[in-house]
Amino acid sequence: MAEIKAFKGMRYTDSGGSLNTLVCPPYDIISDAQRESYIEKNPYNIIRLELPKGGDERYREAGDTLDKWLDGEILACDGEDGVYVYEMQFTANGAKRSLKGFVSLVRLTDFSEGIVLPHEETLSKAKQDRFDLMGETFCNFSQIYSLYMDEDNSVYGIIDGSSNGAPDMEVTDGDGTVHRMWRISDKNTISKLTKAFVDKKLYIADGHHRYETALNFHRSLCASGKAVPGDRSGYVMMMLVNMENNGLVVFPTHRIVHGLAEFNAEKIIDECRNYFTVSEAPDEGRMQAALNMAYDEGKKAFAMYVGAGNCFVMTLKDETAVKRLLPDMSDAYCGLDVSVLHSLVLERIFGIDKENMANQKNLGYTRSREEALRAVDIDGADCSFILNPTKVSEIRDVAAAGEKMPQKSTYFYPKLITGLVMNRFGER
C-alpha cells in the first residue's frame, strides 16, 4: 500500500534570520500585498520561491534564487535522512486544540491504484504554474496534507514518543497558531513508521492539484529519459495525520450564487419546499442555532440567505432524494450536505450544471459566513447558502467508496505553514 520514506529535508539556517520572518501561509491564500509584506520583513522569505512574480522568466528566477540561497547557505539540506514530526497548537470554535502528524516522502501513485485517494473534485483552473515552478526548482516547498486510518493510535504513539523534548523549529503565525517541528533520524523509529504504512491508504485532505502536478512532472521526466520509476522525483512530500486525531477541524465552505439571468426568491423557496422543510430564521444567531441542531441530530440542512436579513433554513425531508437522482453514487456521497445542495438546488432548481460549478460561473465559494452574507447585501449576489461542516467520517467514507466529493466541500484548519522543511529532489 502506501510507501513512505525518510528524506534529507531542506531547511533554513541561522543565516536567514528569524524563522518567524521566513515562513508564510499556503501560496494560494496570499494576496499580492501580503506577499510584498513578507518580503519587506525578510528578503529570504520562502514566498520568493513558492510564489514567484513577474513575467515569463519568474520561474527561472525562482530557480536562480534557490541556487543562490543554497550557495550562500541560507538554505541547506540535512546530512542524513529523517522524518519530521509536526505539531500545530491553535484555537478553533472557542476551544484550544492540538494536532500532531509527521512529514515524510510518499511514493507517487495514480489515483486509480487506490493507494492515495482524492476526497473532492478540484476546480477547473490552470495549475501549469506549479508544473513550471517544479521544472526550475525541483522542489516541494510545501507539504500535501493527507489523512490515514490508525484506529489503535500505534503510529501516533511512535511520533508522539519521539517529540517529547524541545522542538527543533517553532514559529507562531498571524492567526496565533503555534507550529512546532522535531526531526527524527533514528533508523529504528523510521523503520517502524515505514512498516506501519504498508497496509494503509492515504486520503488527500489538501493539495490535490500539487499531488497531480508532482505525478505528471515525474512522468514527464521519465518520458524524456531524465528519470526512471523509483527516482527521487517519484516521491512527494506529505504531512500525514491520523484521521481519528481529536485535533482535526473541518470548516464549511459556503456558496454564493451570482449573475443569474433571472432570480425570484419566493419562487425558488417555493420550489425548495418539494424537498425541504423550510423555516424562516429571523436573525443570524437563530440561523446558526438551527444549523447546529441539525448537525448534532445528523440531519441534512443548510440556510439560504436572500438579503436584508431574510434567511431560510432548509432541512431535507426525504433522505433518499439524492440517491434516486444519482443511483450509481454511494450512500456516503448522496448523504453529504453539499451533495444535497448541489444536486437538488443548484442543478435542479437553479440550473447551474457541474461544468459551470467547476468553472465558478454563477457560483462562488467562501469560508467566511460574514462574506457570504455581505456578498448578497452589498455586492449584489443573488443569494448565498450557509453550510454545516463536513464530518471527517463522511470524508473517509466517500473516498473509500472511490468517489470524490463536490468541489470545495471542506476546509481543513489550520493550514500548514510553508518553510519549516522542504524537499529538494533534483537539480536543474
Side-chain angles (χ1 to χ4, degrees):
M1 286 294 189
E3 181 184 334
I4 69 169
K5 187 176 182 180
F7 68 111
K8 297 177 177 65
M10 183 173 71
R11 297 190 283 163
Y12 278 104
T13 69
D14 292 339
S15 300
S18 169
L19 193 55
N20 270 302
T21 66
L22 295 167
V23 298
C24 71
Y27 75 95
D28 55 356
I29 64 171
I30 294 176
S31 67
D32 288 344
Q34 289 171 325
R35 180 182 183 276
E36 291 305 312
S37 70
Y38 287 121
I39 296 173
E40 285 177 6
K41 291 176 183 176
N42 193 323
Y44 297 122
N45 189 282
I46 192 63
I47 196 63
R48 288 186 60 191
L49 303 180
E50 175 76 311
L51 188 62
K53 289 290 184 178
D56 295 338
E57 299 299 311
R58 63 187 183 277
Y59 304 111
R60 181 186 60 77
E61 290 174 2
D64 290 344
T65 299
L66 173 61
D67 290 342
K68 290 177 183 176
W69 290 3
L70 286 166
D71 290 341
E73 297 185 347
I74 302 300
L75 292 169
C77 293
D78 289 328
E80 58 181 333
D81 289 337
V83 297
Y84 301 80
V85 177
Y86 183 2
E87 179 185 40
M88 294 180 283
Q89 291 187 338
F90 59 100
T91 299
N93 301 320
K96 292 184 178 180
R97 296 173 179 264
S98 175
L99 180 70
K100 184 180 286 188
F102 71 98
V103 177
S104 72
L105 300 187
V106 173
R107 186 173 67 86
L108 291 160
T109 58
D110 193 270
F111 289 148
S112 63
E113 295 184 41
I115 298 172
V116 178
L117 298 168
H119 86 270
E120 70 180 19
E121 297 286 355
T122 51
L123 295 172
S124 301
K125 285 189 172 182
K127 294 298 175 183
Q128 184 66 38
D129 70 308
R130 295 297 96 185
F131 188 96
D132 292 340
L133 180 63
M134 201 173 286
E136 290 289 350
T137 62
F138 285 78
C139 278
N140 308 136
F141 295 114
S142 54
Q143 298 93 29
I144 293 164
Y145 188 176
S146 294
L147 308 175
Y148 62 90
M149 294 296 295
D150 185 32
E151 295 91 339
D152 62 359
N153 275 323
S154 58
V155 173
Y156 184 82
I158 296 172
I159 63 172
D160 191 46
S162 301
S163 54
N164 291 324
D168 296 299
M169 295 165 278
E170 180 174 327
V171 298
T172 301
D173 67 22
D175 292 329
T177 298
V178 179
H179 303 259
R180 298 188 179 100
M181 188 168 279
W182 295 258
R183 181 174 177 272
I184 301 173
S185 57
D186 178 69
K187 291 181 172 56
N188 184 50
T189 301
I190 293 171
S191 177
K192 288 180 180 178
L193 285 174
T194 302
K195 291 177 181 177
F197 276 80
V198 295
D199 62 346
K200 294 189 184 302
K201 296 183 178 183
L202 304 180
Y203 305 87
I204 295 178
D206 196 4
H208 295 80
H209 286 114
R210 282 174 288 145
Y211 184 87
E212 292 170 12
T213 299
L215 182 58
N216 290 335
F217 186 73
H218 173 61
R219 286 173 171 167
S220 73
L221 292 179
C222 292
S224 63
K226 297 178 181 178
V228 296
D231 279 357
R232 286 186 296 168
S233 63
Y235 293 79
V236 70
M237 183 174 61
M238 279 192 184
M239 163 69 158
L240 301 172
V241 174
N242 177 12
M243 196 174 285
E244 306 296 326
N245 194 302
N246 291 330
L248 272 176
V249 174
V250 182
F251 287 153
T253 302
H254 311 299
R255 271 58 176 160
I256 300 170
V257 178
H258 57 82
L260 294 176
E262 179 182 349
F263 177 77
N264 184 308
E266 290 186 6
K267 182 180 177 182
I268 293 295
I269 292 168
D270 190 54
E271 289 188 58
C272 285
R273 294 185 195 278
N274 293 322
Y275 303 105
F276 304 92
T277 298
V278 180
S279 58
E280 190 167 358
D283 56 61
E284 189 175 341
R286 276 178 275 192
M287 172 197 73
Q288 193 59 57
L291 290 178
N292 292 344
M293 182 179 294
Y295 183 87
D296 292 339
E297 294 176 353
K299 295 179 179 179
K300 312 303 173 187
F302 43 79
M304 178 182 177
Y305 184 70
V306 296
N310 296 306
C311 186
F312 301 86
V313 176
M314 301 182 177
T315 306
L316 187 65
K317 293 190 288 189
D318 180 2
E319 296 199 358
T320 67
V322 177
K323 185 69 172 180
R324 290 199 302 273
L325 286 176
L326 305 171
D328 295 332
M329 302 302 289
S330 68
D331 291 344
Y333 179 91
C334 294
L336 297 170
D337 286 3
V338 288
S339 297
V340 173
L341 173 61
H342 282 211
S343 300
L344 298 181
V345 181
L346 297 183
E347 289 187 60
R348 200 168 181 81
I349 296 176
F350 283 82
I352 305 174
D353 60 24
K354 287 183 173 62
E355 182 178 356
N356 283 345
M357 289 185 199
N359 291 322
Q360 300 188 65
K361 182 179 180 181
N362 301 125
L363 192 64
Y365 305 88
T366 178
R367 184 174 67 84
S368 168
R369 184 179 67 192
E370 289 69 27
E371 183 178 334
L373 302 180
R374 188 170 61 247
V376 181
D377 286 329
I378 298 176
D379 300 333
D382 296 310
C383 67
S384 58
F385 288 93
I386 309 302
L387 283 84
N388 275 323
T390 303
K391 297 176 181 176
V392 175
S393 60
E394 293 176 322
I395 298 169
R396 175 200 64 208
D397 293 345
V398 171
E403 297 169 343
K404 298 178 185 178
M405 299 167 65
Q407 61 273 12
K408 297 291 184 181
S409 296
T410 58
Y411 186 100
F412 285 86
Y413 182 84
K415 293 294 186 181
L416 308 181
I417 207 157
T418 301
L420 290 182
V421 65
M422 295 147 277
N423 172 40
R424 192 180 190 215
F425 57 82
E427 299 179 10
R428 292 195 287 176

